[in-house]
PDB file of all heavy atoms in Angstrom:
ATOM      1  N   PHE A 472     151.316  53.097 184.697  1.00 84.00           N
ATOM      2  CA  PHE A 472     151.626  52.409 183.444  1.00 84.00           C
ATOM      3  C   PHE A 472     152.083  50.977 183.668  1.00 84.00           C
ATOM      4  O   PHE A 472     151.889  50.108 182.810  1.00 84.00           O
ATOM      5  CB  PHE A 472     152.728  53.180 182.698  1.00 84.00           C
ATOM      6  CG  PHE A 472     152.265  54.513 182.167  1.00 84.00           C
ATOM      7  CD1 PHE A 472     153.181  55.527 181.910  1.00 84.00           C
ATOM      8  CD2 PHE A 472     150.917  54.753 181.932  1.00 84.00           C
ATOM      9  CE1 PHE A 472     152.752  56.756 181.417  1.00 84.00           C
ATOM     10  CE2 PHE A 472     150.478  55.971 181.449  1.00 84.00           C
ATOM     11  CZ  PHE A 472     151.399  56.981 181.192  1.00 84.00           C
ATOM     12  N   ASP A 473     152.674  50.689 184.826  1.00 81.00           N
ATOM     13  CA  ASP A 473     153.171  49.331 185.100  1.00 81.00           C
ATOM     14  C   ASP A 473     152.059  48.389 185.547  1.00 81.00           C
ATOM     15  O   ASP A 473     152.165  47.168 185.346  1.00 81.00           O
ATOM     16  CB  ASP A 473     154.263  49.383 186.178  1.00 81.00           C
ATOM     17  CG  ASP A 473     155.521  50.075 185.678  1.00 81.00           C
ATOM     18  OD1 ASP A 473     155.688  50.164 184.442  1.00 81.00           O
ATOM     19  OD2 ASP A 473     156.315  50.553 186.521  1.00 81.00           O
ATOM     20  N   GLN A 474     151.011  48.919 186.163  1.00 76.00           N
ATOM     21  CA  GLN A 474     149.937  48.049 186.652  1.00 76.00           C
ATOM     22  C   GLN A 474     149.028  47.626 185.502  1.00 76.00           C
ATOM     23  O   GLN A 474     148.819  48.399 184.556  1.00 76.00           O
ATOM     24  CB  GLN A 474     149.109  48.774 187.716  1.00 76.00           C
ATOM     25  CG  GLN A 474     149.858  49.050 189.006  1.00 76.00           C
ATOM     26  CD  GLN A 474     149.009  49.802 189.997  1.00 76.00           C
ATOM     27  OE1 GLN A 474     147.857  50.148 189.709  1.00 76.00           O
ATOM     28  NE2 GLN A 474     149.562  50.074 191.172  1.00 76.00           N
ATOM     29  N   PRO A 475     148.482  46.404 185.559  1.00 70.00           N
ATOM     30  CA  PRO A 475     147.552  45.967 184.502  1.00 70.00           C
ATOM     31  C   PRO A 475     146.227  46.710 184.594  1.00 70.00           C
ATOM     32  O   PRO A 475     145.772  47.064 185.688  1.00 70.00           O
ATOM     33  CB  PRO A 475     147.383  44.471 184.776  1.00 70.00           C
ATOM     34  CG  PRO A 475     147.674  44.313 186.231  1.00 70.00           C
ATOM     35  CD  PRO A 475     148.722  45.345 186.561  1.00 70.00           C
ATOM     36  N   PHE A 476     145.608  46.958 183.447  1.00 64.00           N
ATOM     37  CA  PHE A 476     144.324  47.643 183.433  1.00 64.00           C
ATOM     38  C   PHE A 476     143.216  46.749 183.980  1.00 64.00           C
ATOM     39  O   PHE A 476     142.341  47.205 184.699  1.00 64.00           O
ATOM     40  CB  PHE A 476     143.973  48.095 182.003  1.00 64.00           C
ATOM     41  CG  PHE A 476     144.806  49.244 181.535  1.00 64.00           C
ATOM     42  CD1 PHE A 476     145.917  49.046 180.738  1.00 64.00           C
ATOM     43  CD2 PHE A 476     144.483  50.541 181.915  1.00 64.00           C
ATOM     44  CE1 PHE A 476     146.677  50.107 180.316  1.00 64.00           C
ATOM     45  CE2 PHE A 476     145.250  51.614 181.492  1.00 64.00           C
ATOM     46  CZ  PHE A 476     146.355  51.404 180.690  1.00 64.00           C
ATOM     47  N   ALA A 477     143.235  45.470 183.624  1.00 61.00           N
ATOM     48  CA  ALA A 477     142.267  44.496 184.144  1.00 61.00           C
ATOM     49  C   ALA A 477     143.006  43.594 185.121  1.00 61.00           C
ATOM     50  O   ALA A 477     143.876  42.815 184.722  1.00 61.00           O
ATOM     51  CB  ALA A 477     141.646  43.686 183.018  1.00 61.00           C
ATOM     52  N   ILE A 478     142.687  43.714 186.396  1.00 57.00           N
ATOM     53  CA  ILE A 478     143.369  42.932 187.428  1.00 57.00           C
ATOM     54  C   ILE A 478     142.753  41.550 187.479  1.00 57.00           C
ATOM     55  O   ILE A 478     141.573  41.381 187.790  1.00 57.00           O
ATOM     56  CB  ILE A 478     143.261  43.629 188.795  1.00 57.00           C
ATOM     57  CG1 ILE A 478     143.897  45.017 188.713  1.00 57.00           C
ATOM     58  CG2 ILE A 478     143.916  42.790 189.880  1.00 57.00           C
ATOM     59  CD1 ILE A 478     143.763  45.816 189.996  1.00 57.00           C
ATOM     60  N   ASP A 479     143.535  40.543 187.142  1.00 60.00           N
ATOM     61  CA  ASP A 479     143.098  39.152 187.180  1.00 60.00           C
ATOM     62  C   ASP A 479     143.975  38.414 188.184  1.00 60.00           C
ATOM     63  O   ASP A 479     145.199  38.332 187.995  1.00 60.00           O
ATOM     64  CB  ASP A 479     143.213  38.512 185.797  1.00 60.00           C
ATOM     65  CG  ASP A 479     142.557  37.134 185.732  1.00 60.00           C
ATOM     66  OD1 ASP A 479     142.110  36.650 186.793  1.00 60.00           O
ATOM     67  OD2 ASP A 479     142.494  36.553 184.637  1.00 60.00           O
ATOM     68  N   PRO A 480     143.423  37.876 189.244  1.00 56.00           N
ATOM     69  CA  PRO A 480     144.259  37.190 190.242  1.00 56.00           C
ATOM     70  C   PRO A 480     145.057  36.030 189.662  1.00 56.00           C
ATOM     71  O   PRO A 480     146.191  35.788 190.074  1.00 56.00           O
ATOM     72  CB  PRO A 480     143.237  36.723 191.284  1.00 56.00           C
ATOM     73  CG  PRO A 480     142.060  37.628 191.107  1.00 56.00           C
ATOM     74  CD  PRO A 480     142.015  37.938 189.645  1.00 56.00           C
ATOM     75  N   LYS A 481     144.481  35.308 188.678  1.00 62.00           N
ATOM     76  CA  LYS A 481     145.198  34.167 188.105  1.00 62.00           C
ATOM     77  C   LYS A 481     146.439  34.625 187.340  1.00 62.00           C
ATOM     78  O   LYS A 481     147.526  34.065 187.484  1.00 62.00           O
ATOM     79  CB  LYS A 481     144.258  33.390 187.188  1.00 62.00           C
ATOM     80  CG  LYS A 481     143.102  32.726 187.918  1.00 62.00           C
ATOM     81  CD  LYS A 481     142.237  31.927 186.942  1.00 62.00           C
ATOM     82  CE  LYS A 481     141.073  31.261 187.676  1.00 62.00           C
ATOM     83  NZ  LYS A 481     140.208  30.492 186.738  1.00 62.00           N
ATOM     84  N   LYS A 482     146.268  35.683 186.515  1.00 56.00           N
ATOM     85  CA  LYS A 482     147.413  36.186 185.765  1.00 56.00           C
ATOM     86  C   LYS A 482     148.458  36.791 186.698  1.00 56.00           C
ATOM     87  O   LYS A 482     149.668  36.689 186.442  1.00 56.00           O
ATOM     88  CB  LYS A 482     146.943  37.233 184.769  1.00 56.00           C
ATOM     89  CG  LYS A 482     146.072  36.654 183.655  1.00 56.00           C
ATOM     90  CD  LYS A 482     145.679  37.731 182.656  1.00 56.00           C
ATOM     91  CE  LYS A 482     144.816  37.136 181.538  1.00 56.00           C
ATOM     92  NZ  LYS A 482     144.411  38.180 180.555  1.00 56.00           N
ATOM     93  N   ARG A 483     147.998  37.400 187.777  1.00 51.00           N
ATOM     94  CA  ARG A 483     148.950  37.970 188.724  1.00 51.00           C
ATOM     95  C   ARG A 483     149.782  36.878 189.374  1.00 51.00           C
ATOM     96  O   ARG A 483     151.004  37.021 189.538  1.00 51.00           O
ATOM     97  CB  ARG A 483     148.187  38.776 189.780  1.00 51.00           C
ATOM     98  CG  ARG A 483     149.092  39.458 190.800  1.00 51.00           C
ATOM     99  CD  ARG A 483     148.263  40.186 191.843  1.00 51.00           C
ATOM    100  NE  ARG A 483     147.488  41.259 191.241  1.00 51.00           N
ATOM    101  CZ  ARG A 483     146.655  42.007 191.945  1.00 51.00           C
ATOM    102  NH1 ARG A 483     146.476  41.792 193.237  1.00 51.00           N
ATOM    103  NH2 ARG A 483     145.983  42.975 191.338  1.00 51.00           N
ATOM    104  N   ARG A 484     149.148  35.752 189.740  1.00 53.00           N
ATOM    105  CA  ARG A 484     149.899  34.645 190.337  1.00 53.00           C
ATOM    106  C   ARG A 484     150.866  34.024 189.325  1.00 53.00           C
ATOM    107  O   ARG A 484     151.968  33.605 189.673  1.00 53.00           O
ATOM    108  CB  ARG A 484     148.929  33.588 190.861  1.00 53.00           C
ATOM    109  CG  ARG A 484     148.196  34.000 192.153  1.00 53.00           C
ATOM    110  CD  ARG A 484     147.540  32.811 192.797  1.00 53.00           C
ATOM    111  NE  ARG A 484     146.466  32.296 191.961  1.00 53.00           N
ATOM    112  CZ  ARG A 484     145.197  32.652 192.055  1.00 53.00           C
ATOM    113  NH1 ARG A 484     144.833  33.554 192.979  1.00 53.00           N
ATOM    114  NH2 ARG A 484     144.272  32.139 191.283  1.00 53.00           N
ATOM    115  N   GLN A 485     150.445  33.982 188.037  1.00 56.00           N
ATOM    116  CA  GLN A 485     151.323  33.424 187.009  1.00 56.00           C
ATOM    117  C   GLN A 485     152.561  34.285 186.806  1.00 56.00           C
ATOM    118  O   GLN A 485     153.666  33.797 186.645  1.00 56.00           O
ATOM    119  CB  GLN A 485     150.545  33.263 185.716  1.00 56.00           C
ATOM    120  CG  GLN A 485     149.483  32.177 185.756  1.00 56.00           C
ATOM    121  CD  GLN A 485     148.655  32.118 184.474  1.00 56.00           C
ATOM    122  OE1 GLN A 485     148.892  32.887 183.537  1.00 56.00           O
ATOM    123  NE2 GLN A 485     147.693  31.205 184.430  1.00 56.00           N
ATOM    124  N   ARG A 486     152.359  35.627 186.843  1.00 51.00           N
ATOM    125  CA  ARG A 486     153.494  36.516 186.695  1.00 51.00           C
ATOM    126  C   ARG A 486     154.438  36.418 187.866  1.00 51.00           C
ATOM    127  O   ARG A 486     155.663  36.425 187.709  1.00 51.00           O
ATOM    128  CB  ARG A 486     153.010  37.948 186.538  1.00 51.00           C
ATOM    129  CG  ARG A 486     152.274  38.231 185.194  1.00 51.00           C
ATOM    130  CD  ARG A 486     151.822  39.669 185.119  1.00 51.00           C
ATOM    131  NE  ARG A 486     151.136  39.921 183.864  1.00 51.00           N
ATOM    132  CZ  ARG A 486     150.601  41.094 183.520  1.00 51.00           C
ATOM    133  NH1 ARG A 486     150.686  42.127 184.366  1.00 51.00           N
ATOM    134  NH2 ARG A 486     149.982  41.247 182.364  1.00 51.00           N
ATOM    135  N   ARG A 487     153.887  36.295 189.072  1.00 45.00           N
ATOM    136  CA  ARG A 487     154.754  36.160 190.244  1.00 45.00           C
ATOM    137  C   ARG A 487     155.480  34.844 190.229  1.00 45.00           C
ATOM    138  O   ARG A 487     156.628  34.734 190.674  1.00 45.00           O
ATOM    139  CB  ARG A 487     153.916  36.269 191.520  1.00 45.00           C
ATOM    140  CG  ARG A 487     153.342  37.681 191.753  1.00 45.00           C
ATOM    141  CD  ARG A 487     152.532  37.705 193.020  1.00 45.00           C
ATOM    142  NE  ARG A 487     151.991  39.053 193.255  1.00 45.00           N
ATOM    143  CZ  ARG A 487     151.198  39.360 194.265  1.00 45.00           C
ATOM    144  NH1 ARG A 487     150.816  38.415 195.139  1.00 45.00           N
ATOM    145  NH2 ARG A 487     150.752  40.593 194.413  1.00 45.00           N
TER     146      ARG A 487
END
Side-chain angles (χ1 to χ4, degrees):
F472 291 157
D473 292 340
Q474 293 178 358
F476 288 98
I478 300 177
D479 189 355
K481 294 182 180 179
K482 293 182 180 180
R483 182 182 297 178
R484 286 194 294 268
Q485 291 176 1
R486 291 180 180 179
R487 291 180 179 177

